[in-house]
Amino acid sequence: MSLSTLTKPWEAMSYGFLDGSAKRELRRKMLKSVAVPGCQMPYASREVPMARGWGTGGLQVSLTLVNPQTRVKVIDQGADDSVNAASIRRFIARVAGTPTTMDTLEADLIQSRHRIPEEVLRDDQVLVLQVPNPEPLRPVQPNMSIARQMHADADYGRMWLQLYEQIVRSGRVMQGASYPSLVHGRHVMTPSPIPRWDVPKLHMAKHLTILSAGREKRIFAVPPYTRVEPLVFSDVPYKVEDHGNLTCTRSGTTGFFMNEIPQDDSSSAFEVSDSEWGVKTIRAREGEGESRGETWYKDGEMPQ
Amino acid sequence: MTLTLDAPRIVETRPLLEVKAVSKSYGPVQAVRNVSAHAYPGEVLGIVGESGSGKSTLLRMMNLEEIPETGSYTLDLPDVSGNLFELDRFARRMLCATKIGIVYQNPHLGLLMKHSSSGNVAERLLVAGERSFATLRQAATEALDASEFPLDRLDAPPIELSGGMQQRVQLAKAIALEPALLLLDEPTTGLDVSVQALVLDTLKRLQQDRQITMVIVSHDLGVIRTLADRVMVMRRGEVVETGLADQIFQDPQHPYTQQLVHAKL
Amino acid sequence: MTQVLEIDRLTKGFSLHHLEKDIAAFEDISFSVAAGEFVLLKGANGAGKSTLLRTLYRSYLPLSGEIRFHSSHGMIDLARAADVDVAHLRRTEIGFVTQFLTARPRVSAEAIVAEPLRLAGWEHEAALKTARKALETFGVKPDLWAAYPTTFSGGEQQKVNLARALILPQKLLMLDEPTASLDANARRALVARLQELKDQGTAMIGVFHHPDDVIHLIDRVVDLTPDAAPQEDRDDVAL
């Protein structure tokens, strides 16, 4: 008996980096989370060659869902070309042999940090959102055991109280990103730190959204055609960021979520946050043909 | 020996609250032993006894915070039926939020100390499903006003308020949904005597204006004497005597009650 | 005459447990009171006059005997009536007048006087109006009506107390030395009001230090001094 008879020949790694049992667990937890929309499912978040907090939750979901034909798009704050997005995209392609794209319309799977693309997603697309803190009750209930019981009881009075307090103290709801939202009329979830602008895109969306927190080991989902309603008082309407009439200084597009670029003269310039939308707009302007799809917002307004 | 009293003959309404034969022990300590209590609509029931007599445990049972090993609890209200100790957690929470108000001795138990006072009151309505900001604001203001809380401090967090004011916020929170039953656990203990008198006065006034059924627990006979119509004396987990408040104070029967009343006077 | 109250072999004593001592107050008292009748309780100090009043009011629990009260709900034995029934009767049919006012901070004189009416279901404004009239009758100056009696002198407090205790016509009224510390005018007002209630059919049992205050009201005297004849005629009272 020798070492070579006891071991298999060396292979590069499992397909998609994660071993079979890890992927099986993730698949099961994803199914569970689709079955109970907005409810957080615990999972054994595995080690990936990336630090916790950099999108490990989203990455594990992406690695589990891809096959060699899945076209993958990765964005970070709307940009395909940031270091983090590029690294994750390259890693998935390398361990799973997937084709990649920057075009929202072409992608089968989109992993994103803090944004939902401006173009409408279809029912054959999956959006994977990276979540730093999956527990919307954490600000009002630091004890996670009690928080879970509150979810079980749909005891969300404290969440509303938080909004009440913001209006009392500041005259308006101060919650910017991670706006707590009621999913399917039952569970309150944090939609990950996407801006208020993006939350209505989740409501009755055609696509499946999976939200995964690697450090906190929680996964939850918004299945297609599911109600996602931001918590609002009946007499204080939900307001998205006031970006509807801003124009991108680089592409000239108007009516989308913008990044604010402070200028030397203390004024601000704006650039469209969805970088690929900006690229497509510039291409169209320069006569390279129209490649832009339908958008959620029309003329800076979300149609009801 | 005194006479045994008859069952009520003139008053035909059923008691609003009825606790029957409850017992509860913590390990080897029997906190409450086979205790029964009732309160008629609009009546103020006072429960006196030294610490460890089981009076607070009994009150917590009435607030469904504590479930006894044996015994039953009923409230004679529309949409409320059966032994309330058997309710599931969800039904229990809704019942407590809408039908029962409580004021604790320690405001930390009843209040979010860093939220606004009005928010503390509004939370009750939020739990019950109110979703209009204007309605919440108005209801909170009205409840605080009824508790004689200064309205210019509406949004001050309880942590910045005096003890008496904190009790008023608790009281406002307790009455915000116009509960059928108000439970008071040593509501004025630890307050300055002058502040104590004012809080008691507010309670008395509320009771008369709204005819709320109250159960008040205190070791302070003065508090009980000021508020209660009927008094129940507890000792070591058991009821030793019940009677009309003036009778308990003027003609106590049980040796323990006599000792308690004479110690006070 | 319609009987309002029949007291039958009523006995009261106190057991002081810490002294291991039983103290007798009165024994085997029997008498009855009819509607519109005024009975004066007489007896030496310690004969149990006040104790009897309090026992009838059920502030004290009797040891034995019966207190048959003919309420509007039928006959009920106050010695054995349930607490809740006694409380109900005190609100509606049985009054007790003492010489002490239990004033509460920040409650105006007129509100205190109006309280029994409010508890009996009167409308707020009507109750206040009647209360003010009662205060006027007893000689409380109008500028004091809205003030808090906690700061009043003893005499003024007593006027408020009487106005409150006598505002609601009741079937049975117990009077425990209500004339103490009253000035002549207020005493006159009190006697007038008692006469009014008596004419309306209120049965009264009273203890007075100076019975000559109410001499014209007295129909009968009951002497509680042990071994005294249980009933005497009004003419026999040595005044």
Side-chain angles (χ1 to χ4, degrees), chain A residues 149 153 155 158 160-161 164-165 167-169 233-236, chain B residues 89-90 93 112 114 116 118-119 123 131-134 137 155:
Chain A
Q149 205 167 69
D153 293 346
D155 177 6
R158 292 275 170 95
W160 291 93
L161 180 58
Y164 175 94
E165 290 288 298
I167 299 178
V168 163
R169 287 191 185 165
F233 292 113
S234 56
D235 50 353
V236 183
Chain B
R89 200 176 64 222
F90 184 76
R93 186 167 62 82
L112 297 162
K114 290 179 181 172
S116 67
S118 66
E123 193 198 359
R131 293 295 178 257
S132 153
F133 180 78
R137 190 98 184 123
D155 296 323

PDB file of all heavy atoms in Angstrom, chain A residues 149 153 155 158 160-161 164-165 167-169 233-236, chain B residues 89-90 93 112 114 116 118-119 123 131-134 137 155:
ATOM      1  N   GLN A 149     -38.064  35.706  17.899  1.00  0.00           N
ATOM      2  CA  GLN A 149     -39.421  35.503  18.410  1.00  0.00           C
ATOM      3  C   GLN A 149     -40.360  36.605  17.903  1.00  0.00           C
ATOM      4  O   GLN A 149     -41.511  36.353  17.578  1.00  0.00           O
ATOM      5  CB  GLN A 149     -39.381  35.525  19.938  1.00  0.00           C
ATOM      6  CG  GLN A 149     -40.515  34.765  20.565  1.00  0.00           C
ATOM      7  CD  GLN A 149     -40.276  34.551  22.048  1.00  0.00           C
ATOM      8  OE1 GLN A 149     -40.311  35.502  22.825  1.00  0.00           O
ATOM      9  NE2 GLN A 149     -40.033  33.321  22.439  1.00  0.00           N
ATOM     10  N   ASP A 153     -43.801  36.212  15.810  1.00  0.00           N
ATOM     11  CA  ASP A 153     -45.079  36.788  16.227  1.00  0.00           C
ATOM     12  C   ASP A 153     -45.532  37.927  15.318  1.00  0.00           C
ATOM     13  O   ASP A 153     -46.557  38.540  15.576  1.00  0.00           O
ATOM     14  CB  ASP A 153     -44.960  37.359  17.650  1.00  0.00           C
ATOM     15  CG  ASP A 153     -44.742  36.282  18.687  1.00  0.00           C
ATOM     16  OD1 ASP A 153     -44.945  35.100  18.350  1.00  0.00           O
ATOM     17  OD2 ASP A 153     -44.376  36.616  19.823  1.00  0.00           O
ATOM     18  N   ASP A 155     -44.305  40.717  15.379  1.00  0.00           N
ATOM     19  CA  ASP A 155     -44.348  41.788  16.370  1.00  0.00           C
ATOM     20  C   ASP A 155     -43.426  42.918  15.905  1.00  0.00           C
ATOM     21  O   ASP A 155     -42.274  42.977  16.279  1.00  0.00           O
ATOM     22  CB  ASP A 155     -43.893  41.206  17.716  1.00  0.00           C
ATOM     23  CG  ASP A 155     -43.832  42.255  18.811  1.00  0.00           C
ATOM     24  OD1 ASP A 155     -44.239  43.404  18.557  1.00  0.00           O
ATOM     25  OD2 ASP A 155     -43.373  41.913  19.911  1.00  0.00           O
ATOM     26  N   ARG A 158     -42.067  47.862  17.276  1.00  0.00           N
ATOM     27  CA  ARG A 158     -40.827  48.617  17.503  1.00  0.00           C
ATOM     28  C   ARG A 158     -40.247  49.184  16.206  1.00  0.00           C
ATOM     29  O   ARG A 158     -39.628  50.240  16.195  1.00  0.00           O
ATOM     30  CB  ARG A 158     -39.772  47.719  18.146  1.00  0.00           C
ATOM     31  CG  ARG A 158     -40.101  47.305  19.551  1.00  0.00           C
ATOM     32  CD  ARG A 158     -39.658  48.376  20.540  1.00  0.00           C
ATOM     33  NE  ARG A 158     -40.180  48.077  21.860  1.00  0.00           N
ATOM     34  CZ  ARG A 158     -39.494  47.426  22.801  1.00  0.00           C
ATOM     35  NH1 ARG A 158     -38.248  47.060  22.569  1.00  0.00           N
ATOM     36  NH2 ARG A 158     -40.031  47.171  23.964  1.00  0.00           N
ATOM     37  N   TRP A 160     -41.965  50.182  13.634  1.00  0.00           N
ATOM     38  CA  TRP A 160     -42.772  51.375  13.341  1.00  0.00           C
ATOM     39  C   TRP A 160     -42.408  52.506  14.281  1.00  0.00           C
ATOM     40  O   TRP A 160     -42.347  53.669  13.887  1.00  0.00           O
ATOM     41  CB  TRP A 160     -44.252  51.039  13.481  1.00  0.00           C
ATOM     42  CG  TRP A 160     -44.742  50.118  12.426  1.00  0.00           C
ATOM     43  CD1 TRP A 160     -44.821  48.765  12.493  1.00  0.00           C
ATOM     44  CD2 TRP A 160     -45.191  50.477  11.111  1.00  0.00           C
ATOM     45  NE1 TRP A 160     -45.302  48.259  11.326  1.00  0.00           N
ATOM     46  CE2 TRP A 160     -45.544  49.293  10.452  1.00  0.00           C
ATOM     47  CE3 TRP A 160     -45.335  51.694  10.452  1.00  0.00           C
ATOM     48  CZ2 TRP A 160     -46.032  49.274   9.169  1.00  0.00           C
ATOM     49  CZ3 TRP A 160     -45.828  51.682   9.175  1.00  0.00           C
ATOM     50  CH2 TRP A 160     -46.172  50.478   8.531  1.00  0.00           C
ATOM     51  N   LEU A 161     -42.160  52.125  15.536  1.00  0.00           N
ATOM     52  CA  LEU A 161     -41.799  53.131  16.523  1.00  0.00           C
ATOM     53  C   LEU A 161     -40.528  53.867  16.092  1.00  0.00           C
ATOM     54  O   LEU A 161     -40.410  55.083  16.241  1.00  0.00           O
ATOM     55  CB  LEU A 161     -41.587  52.462  17.885  1.00  0.00           C
ATOM     56  CG  LEU A 161     -41.208  53.401  19.021  1.00  0.00           C
ATOM     57  CD1 LEU A 161     -42.269  54.476  19.199  1.00  0.00           C
ATOM     58  CD2 LEU A 161     -41.028  52.630  20.315  1.00  0.00           C
ATOM     59  N   TYR A 164     -41.512  56.395  13.704  1.00  0.00           N
ATOM     60  CA  TYR A 164     -42.193  57.473  14.428  1.00  0.00           C
ATOM     61  C   TYR A 164     -41.160  58.403  15.053  1.00  0.00           C
ATOM     62  O   TYR A 164     -41.242  59.628  14.933  1.00  0.00           O
ATOM     63  CB  TYR A 164     -43.094  56.868  15.510  1.00  0.00           C
ATOM     64  CG  TYR A 164     -43.747  57.888  16.407  1.00  0.00           C
ATOM     65  CD1 TYR A 164     -45.015  58.370  16.144  1.00  0.00           C
ATOM     66  CD2 TYR A 164     -43.068  58.381  17.527  1.00  0.00           C
ATOM     67  CE1 TYR A 164     -45.608  59.311  16.967  1.00  0.00           C
ATOM     68  CE2 TYR A 164     -43.647  59.328  18.349  1.00  0.00           C
ATOM     69  CZ  TYR A 164     -44.914  59.798  18.065  1.00  0.00           C
ATOM     70  OH  TYR A 164     -45.478  60.747  18.879  1.00  0.00           O
ATOM     71  N   GLU A 165     -40.165  57.795  15.700  1.00  0.00           N
ATOM     72  CA  GLU A 165     -39.127  58.582  16.371  1.00  0.00           C
ATOM     73  C   GLU A 165     -38.378  59.464  15.372  1.00  0.00           C
ATOM     74  O   GLU A 165     -38.058  60.619  15.658  1.00  0.00           O
ATOM     75  CB  GLU A 165     -38.125  57.648  17.056  1.00  0.00           C
ATOM     76  CG  GLU A 165     -38.706  56.927  18.245  1.00  0.00           C
ATOM     77  CD  GLU A 165     -38.921  57.848  19.432  1.00  0.00           C
ATOM     78  OE1 GLU A 165     -37.933  58.391  19.937  1.00  0.00           O
ATOM     79  OE2 GLU A 165     -40.081  58.035  19.846  1.00  0.00           O
ATOM     80  N   ILE A 167     -39.480  60.707  12.560  1.00  0.00           N
ATOM     81  CA  ILE A 167     -40.316  61.838  12.138  1.00  0.00           C
ATOM     82  C   ILE A 167     -40.395  62.879  13.258  1.00  0.00           C
ATOM     83  O   ILE A 167     -40.294  64.084  13.022  1.00  0.00           O
ATOM     84  CB  ILE A 167     -41.731  61.358  11.756  1.00  0.00           C
ATOM     85  CG1 ILE A 167     -41.655  60.380  10.586  1.00  0.00           C
ATOM     86  CG2 ILE A 167     -42.617  62.540  11.394  1.00  0.00           C
ATOM     87  CD1 ILE A 167     -42.987  59.815  10.163  1.00  0.00           C
ATOM     88  N   VAL A 168     -40.529  62.398  14.497  1.00  0.00           N
ATOM     89  CA  VAL A 168     -40.623  63.322  15.631  1.00  0.00           C
ATOM     90  C   VAL A 168     -39.342  64.136  15.765  1.00  0.00           C
ATOM     91  O   VAL A 168     -39.374  65.338  15.987  1.00  0.00           O
ATOM     92  CB  VAL A 168     -40.914  62.535  16.927  1.00  0.00           C
ATOM     93  CG1 VAL A 168     -40.605  63.373  18.146  1.00  0.00           C
ATOM     94  CG2 VAL A 168     -42.366  62.086  16.946  1.00  0.00           C
ATOM     95  N   ARG A 169     -38.206  63.470  15.620  1.00  0.00           N
ATOM     96  CA  ARG A 169     -36.939  64.163  15.857  1.00  0.00           C
ATOM     97  C   ARG A 169     -36.473  64.978  14.674  1.00  0.00           C
ATOM     98  O   ARG A 169     -35.849  66.021  14.834  1.00  0.00           O
ATOM     99  CB  ARG A 169     -35.862  63.135  16.211  1.00  0.00           C
ATOM    100  CG  ARG A 169     -36.137  62.640  17.610  1.00  0.00           C
ATOM    101  CD  ARG A 169     -35.067  61.841  18.212  1.00  0.00           C
ATOM    102  NE  ARG A 169     -35.613  61.384  19.513  1.00  0.00           N
ATOM    103  CZ  ARG A 169     -35.099  60.437  20.239  1.00  0.00           C
ATOM    104  NH1 ARG A 169     -34.011  59.841  19.831  1.00  0.00           N
ATOM    105  NH2 ARG A 169     -35.638  60.099  21.377  1.00  0.00           N
ATOM    106  N   PHE A 233     -46.108  55.102   7.266  1.00  0.00           N
ATOM    107  CA  PHE A 233     -47.375  55.508   7.848  1.00  0.00           C
ATOM    108  C   PHE A 233     -48.338  55.856   6.727  1.00  0.00           C
ATOM    109  O   PHE A 233     -47.926  56.352   5.673  1.00  0.00           O
ATOM    110  CB  PHE A 233     -47.177  56.718   8.769  1.00  0.00           C
ATOM    111  CG  PHE A 233     -46.397  56.385  10.004  1.00  0.00           C
ATOM    112  CD1 PHE A 233     -45.133  56.921  10.204  1.00  0.00           C
ATOM    113  CD2 PHE A 233     -46.911  55.511  10.942  1.00  0.00           C
ATOM    114  CE1 PHE A 233     -44.404  56.599  11.340  1.00  0.00           C
ATOM    115  CE2 PHE A 233     -46.193  55.190  12.073  1.00  0.00           C
ATOM    116  CZ  PHE A 233     -44.940  55.727  12.274  1.00  0.00           C
ATOM    117  N   SER A 234     -49.619  55.620   6.975  1.00  0.00           N
ATOM    118  CA  SER A 234     -50.605  55.835   5.920  1.00  0.00           C
ATOM    119  C   SER A 234     -50.650  57.297   5.475  1.00  0.00           C
ATOM    120  O   SER A 234     -51.043  57.601   4.360  1.00  0.00           O
ATOM    121  CB  SER A 234     -51.982  55.382   6.401  1.00  0.00           C
ATOM    122  OG  SER A 234     -52.314  56.072   7.594  1.00  0.00           O
ATOM    123  N   ASP A 235     -50.231  58.201   6.372  1.00  0.00           N
ATOM    124  CA  ASP A 235     -50.314  59.615   6.025  1.00  0.00           C
ATOM    125  C   ASP A 235     -48.933  60.255   5.823  1.00  0.00           C
ATOM    126  O   ASP A 235     -48.824  61.472   5.749  1.00  0.00           O
ATOM    127  CB  ASP A 235     -51.108  60.387   7.088  1.00  0.00           C
ATOM    128  CG  ASP A 235     -50.621  60.097   8.507  1.00  0.00           C
ATOM    129  OD1 ASP A 235     -49.763  59.200   8.656  1.00  0.00           O
ATOM    130  OD2 ASP A 235     -51.087  60.756   9.442  1.00  0.00           O
ATOM    131  N   VAL A 236     -47.895  59.452   5.764  1.00  0.00           N
ATOM    132  CA  VAL A 236     -46.549  59.964   5.455  1.00  0.00           C
ATOM    133  C   VAL A 236     -46.010  59.110   4.317  1.00  0.00           C
ATOM    134  O   VAL A 236     -45.476  58.040   4.548  1.00  0.00           O
ATOM    135  CB  VAL A 236     -45.602  59.870   6.676  1.00  0.00           C
ATOM    136  CG1 VAL A 236     -44.241  60.476   6.344  1.00  0.00           C
ATOM    137  CG2 VAL A 236     -46.212  60.562   7.889  1.00  0.00           C
TER     138      VAL A 236
ATOM    139  N   ARG B  89     -48.965  32.552  22.642  1.00  0.00           N
ATOM    140  CA  ARG B  89     -48.172  33.756  22.866  1.00  0.00           C
ATOM    141  C   ARG B  89     -48.702  34.944  22.070  1.00  0.00           C
ATOM    142  O   ARG B  89     -48.755  36.076  22.542  1.00  0.00           O
ATOM    143  CB  ARG B  89     -46.715  33.468  22.482  1.00  0.00           C
ATOM    144  CG  ARG B  89     -45.724  34.416  23.090  1.00  0.00           C
ATOM    145  CD  ARG B  89     -44.323  33.992  22.732  1.00  0.00           C
ATOM    146  NE  ARG B  89     -44.096  34.069  21.321  1.00  0.00           N
ATOM    147  CZ  ARG B  89     -43.436  33.158  20.616  1.00  0.00           C
ATOM    148  NH1 ARG B  89     -42.942  32.113  21.206  1.00  0.00           N
ATOM    149  NH2 ARG B  89     -43.274  33.305  19.321  1.00  0.00           N
ATOM    150  N   PHE B  90     -49.129  34.669  20.853  1.00  0.00           N
ATOM    151  CA  PHE B  90     -49.590  35.730  19.968  1.00  0.00           C
ATOM    152  C   PHE B  90     -50.888  36.351  20.499  1.00  0.00           C
ATOM    153  O   PHE B  90     -51.000  37.567  20.642  1.00  0.00           O
ATOM    154  CB  PHE B  90     -49.800  35.163  18.558  1.00  0.00           C
ATOM    155  CG  PHE B  90     -50.175  36.194  17.546  1.00  0.00           C
ATOM    156  CD1 PHE B  90     -49.211  37.058  17.041  1.00  0.00           C
ATOM    157  CD2 PHE B  90     -51.484  36.323  17.116  1.00  0.00           C
ATOM    158  CE1 PHE B  90     -49.549  38.019  16.108  1.00  0.00           C
ATOM    159  CE2 PHE B  90     -51.831  37.286  16.186  1.00  0.00           C
ATOM    160  CZ  PHE B  90     -50.856  38.125  15.683  1.00  0.00           C
ATOM    161  N   ARG B  93     -50.298  38.385  23.579  1.00  0.00           N
ATOM    162  CA  ARG B  93     -49.706  39.698  23.333  1.00  0.00           C
ATOM    163  C   ARG B  93     -50.770  40.685  22.865  1.00  0.00           C
ATOM    164  O   ARG B  93     -50.827  41.833  23.311  1.00  0.00           O
ATOM    165  CB  ARG B  93     -48.598  39.575  22.289  1.00  0.00           C
ATOM    166  CG  ARG B  93     -47.828  40.840  22.063  1.00  0.00           C
ATOM    167  CD  ARG B  93     -46.574  40.567  21.266  1.00  0.00           C
ATOM    168  NE  ARG B  93     -46.840  40.042  19.945  1.00  0.00           N
ATOM    169  CZ  ARG B  93     -47.162  40.794  18.886  1.00  0.00           C
ATOM    170  NH1 ARG B  93     -47.228  42.098  19.009  1.00  0.00           N
ATOM    171  NH2 ARG B  93     -47.414  40.252  17.721  1.00  0.00           N
ATOM    172  N   LEU B 112     -39.263  52.485  27.046  1.00  0.00           N
ATOM    173  CA  LEU B 112     -37.997  52.565  26.314  1.00  0.00           C
ATOM    174  C   LEU B 112     -37.400  53.910  26.708  1.00  0.00           C
ATOM    175  O   LEU B 112     -37.906  54.961  26.315  1.00  0.00           O
ATOM    176  CB  LEU B 112     -38.261  52.510  24.812  1.00  0.00           C
ATOM    177  CG  LEU B 112     -38.902  51.207  24.340  1.00  0.00           C
ATOM    178  CD1 LEU B 112     -39.539  51.384  22.974  1.00  0.00           C
ATOM    179  CD2 LEU B 112     -37.852  50.112  24.293  1.00  0.00           C
ATOM    180  N   LYS B 114     -34.848  55.681  26.054  1.00  0.00           N
ATOM    181  CA  LYS B 114     -34.207  56.645  25.150  1.00  0.00           C
ATOM    182  C   LYS B 114     -35.099  57.068  23.992  1.00  0.00           C
ATOM    183  O   LYS B 114     -34.717  57.909  23.193  1.00  0.00           O
ATOM    184  CB  LYS B 114     -32.883  56.083  24.641  1.00  0.00           C
ATOM    185  CG  LYS B 114     -31.852  56.026  25.763  1.00  0.00           C
ATOM    186  CD  LYS B 114     -30.547  55.457  25.302  1.00  0.00           C
ATOM    187  CE  LYS B 114     -29.569  55.398  26.474  1.00  0.00           C
ATOM    188  NZ  LYS B 114     -28.352  54.677  26.118  1.00  0.00           N
ATOM    189  N   SER B 116     -38.697  58.789  22.567  1.00  0.00           N
ATOM    190  CA  SER B 116     -39.480  59.928  23.056  1.00  0.00           C
ATOM    191  C   SER B 116     -40.629  59.421  23.925  1.00  0.00           C
ATOM    192  O   SER B 116     -41.060  58.280  23.800  1.00  0.00           O
ATOM    193  CB  SER B 116     -40.039  60.712  21.870  1.00  0.00           C
ATOM    194  OG  SER B 116     -40.980  59.926  21.182  1.00  0.00           O
ATOM    195  N   SER B 118     -43.708  60.496  23.824  1.00  0.00           N
ATOM    196  CA  SER B 118     -44.893  60.277  22.987  1.00  0.00           C
ATOM    197  C   SER B 118     -44.758  58.962  22.221  1.00  0.00           C
ATOM    198  O   SER B 118     -45.731  58.240  22.022  1.00  0.00           O
ATOM    199  CB  SER B 118     -45.089  61.438  22.017  1.00  0.00           C
ATOM    200  OG  SER B 118     -44.028  61.485  21.088  1.00  0.00           O
ATOM    201  N   GLY B 119     -43.515  58.648  21.804  1.00  0.00           N
ATOM    202  CA  GLY B 119     -43.285  57.395  21.092  1.00  0.00           C
ATOM    203  C   GLY B 119     -43.579  56.188  21.958  1.00  0.00           C
ATOM    204  O   GLY B 119     -44.128  55.193  21.497  1.00  0.00           O
ATOM    205  N   GLU B 123     -46.337  53.456  20.866  1.00  0.00           N
ATOM    206  CA  GLU B 123     -45.987  52.059  20.586  1.00  0.00           C
ATOM    207  C   GLU B 123     -47.180  51.138  20.820  1.00  0.00           C
ATOM    208  O   GLU B 123     -47.433  50.202  20.064  1.00  0.00           O
ATOM    209  CB  GLU B 123     -44.810  51.621  21.464  1.00  0.00           C
ATOM    210  CG  GLU B 123     -44.223  50.297  20.983  1.00  0.00           C
ATOM    211  CD  GLU B 123     -43.380  49.601  22.028  1.00  0.00           C
ATOM    212  OE1 GLU B 123     -43.217  50.132  23.130  1.00  0.00           O
ATOM    213  OE2 GLU B 123     -42.904  48.498  21.719  1.00  0.00           O
ATOM    214  N   ARG B 131     -51.698  52.850  11.915  1.00  0.00           N
ATOM    215  CA  ARG B 131     -50.638  53.165  10.957  1.00  0.00           C
ATOM    216  C   ARG B 131     -50.683  54.611  10.454  1.00  0.00           C
ATOM    217  O   ARG B 131     -50.023  54.938   9.483  1.00  0.00           O
ATOM    218  CB  ARG B 131     -50.732  52.221   9.752  1.00  0.00           C
ATOM    219  CG  ARG B 131     -50.414  50.766  10.090  1.00  0.00           C
ATOM    220  CD  ARG B 131     -48.961  50.581  10.513  1.00  0.00           C
ATOM    221  NE  ARG B 131     -48.687  49.207  10.862  1.00  0.00           N
ATOM    222  CZ  ARG B 131     -48.586  48.753  12.116  1.00  0.00           C
ATOM    223  NH1 ARG B 131     -48.753  49.576  13.129  1.00  0.00           N
ATOM    224  NH2 ARG B 131     -48.315  47.490  12.356  1.00  0.00           N
ATOM    225  N   SER B 132     -51.470  55.459  11.101  1.00  0.00           N
ATOM    226  CA  SER B 132     -51.491  56.851  10.680  1.00  0.00           C
ATOM    227  C   SER B 132     -50.674  57.674  11.670  1.00  0.00           C
ATOM    228  O   SER B 132     -50.926  57.644  12.875  1.00  0.00           O
ATOM    229  CB  SER B 132     -52.932  57.360  10.624  1.00  0.00           C
ATOM    230  OG  SER B 132     -52.952  58.763  10.829  1.00  0.00           O
ATOM    231  N   PHE B 133     -49.694  58.400  11.160  1.00  0.00           N
ATOM    232  CA  PHE B 133     -48.817  59.167  12.037  1.00  0.00           C
ATOM    233  C   PHE B 133     -49.617  60.211  12.812  1.00  0.00           C
ATOM    234  O   PHE B 133     -49.445  60.371  14.021  1.00  0.00           O
ATOM    235  CB  PHE B 133     -47.706  59.838  11.233  1.00  0.00           C
ATOM    236  CG  PHE B 133     -46.775  60.644  12.082  1.00  0.00           C
ATOM    237  CD1 PHE B 133     -45.789  60.028  12.825  1.00  0.00           C
ATOM    238  CD2 PHE B 133     -46.903  62.025  12.162  1.00  0.00           C
ATOM    239  CE1 PHE B 133     -44.938  60.766  13.633  1.00  0.00           C
ATOM    240  CE2 PHE B 133     -46.062  62.774  12.964  1.00  0.00           C
ATOM    241  CZ  PHE B 133     -45.072  62.144  13.698  1.00  0.00           C
ATOM    242  N   ALA B 134     -50.506  60.901  12.112  1.00  0.00           N
ATOM    243  CA  ALA B 134     -51.269  61.962  12.768  1.00  0.00           C
ATOM    244  C   ALA B 134     -52.128  61.393  13.899  1.00  0.00           C
ATOM    245  O   ALA B 134     -52.203  61.968  14.988  1.00  0.00           O
ATOM    246  CB  ALA B 134     -52.157  62.669  11.734  1.00  0.00           C
ATOM    247  N   ARG B 137     -49.936  60.459  16.862  1.00  0.00           N
ATOM    248  CA  ARG B 137     -49.462  61.658  17.547  1.00  0.00           C
ATOM    249  C   ARG B 137     -50.563  62.207  18.444  1.00  0.00           C
ATOM    250  O   ARG B 137     -50.340  62.552  19.595  1.00  0.00           O
ATOM    251  CB  ARG B 137     -49.086  62.685  16.465  1.00  0.00           C
ATOM    252  CG  ARG B 137     -48.369  63.872  16.984  1.00  0.00           C
ATOM    253  CD  ARG B 137     -46.878  63.702  16.785  1.00  0.00           C
ATOM    254  NE  ARG B 137     -46.167  64.810  17.362  1.00  0.00           N
ATOM    255  CZ  ARG B 137     -45.231  64.673  18.284  1.00  0.00           C
ATOM    256  NH1 ARG B 137     -44.890  63.483  18.702  1.00  0.00           N
ATOM    257  NH2 ARG B 137     -44.614  65.720  18.759  1.00  0.00           N
ATOM    258  N   ASP B 155     -41.880  65.068  23.605  1.00  0.00           N
ATOM    259  CA  ASP B 155     -40.916  64.227  22.903  1.00  0.00           C
ATOM    260  C   ASP B 155     -39.611  64.039  23.666  1.00  0.00           C
ATOM    261  O   ASP B 155     -38.628  63.549  23.116  1.00  0.00           O
ATOM    262  CB  ASP B 155     -40.657  64.797  21.504  1.00  0.00           C
ATOM    263  CG  ASP B 155     -41.907  64.756  20.652  1.00  0.00           C
ATOM    264  OD1 ASP B 155     -42.654  63.765  20.787  1.00  0.00           O
ATOM    265  OD2 ASP B 155     -42.152  65.692  19.889  1.00  0.00           O
TER     266      ASP B 155
END
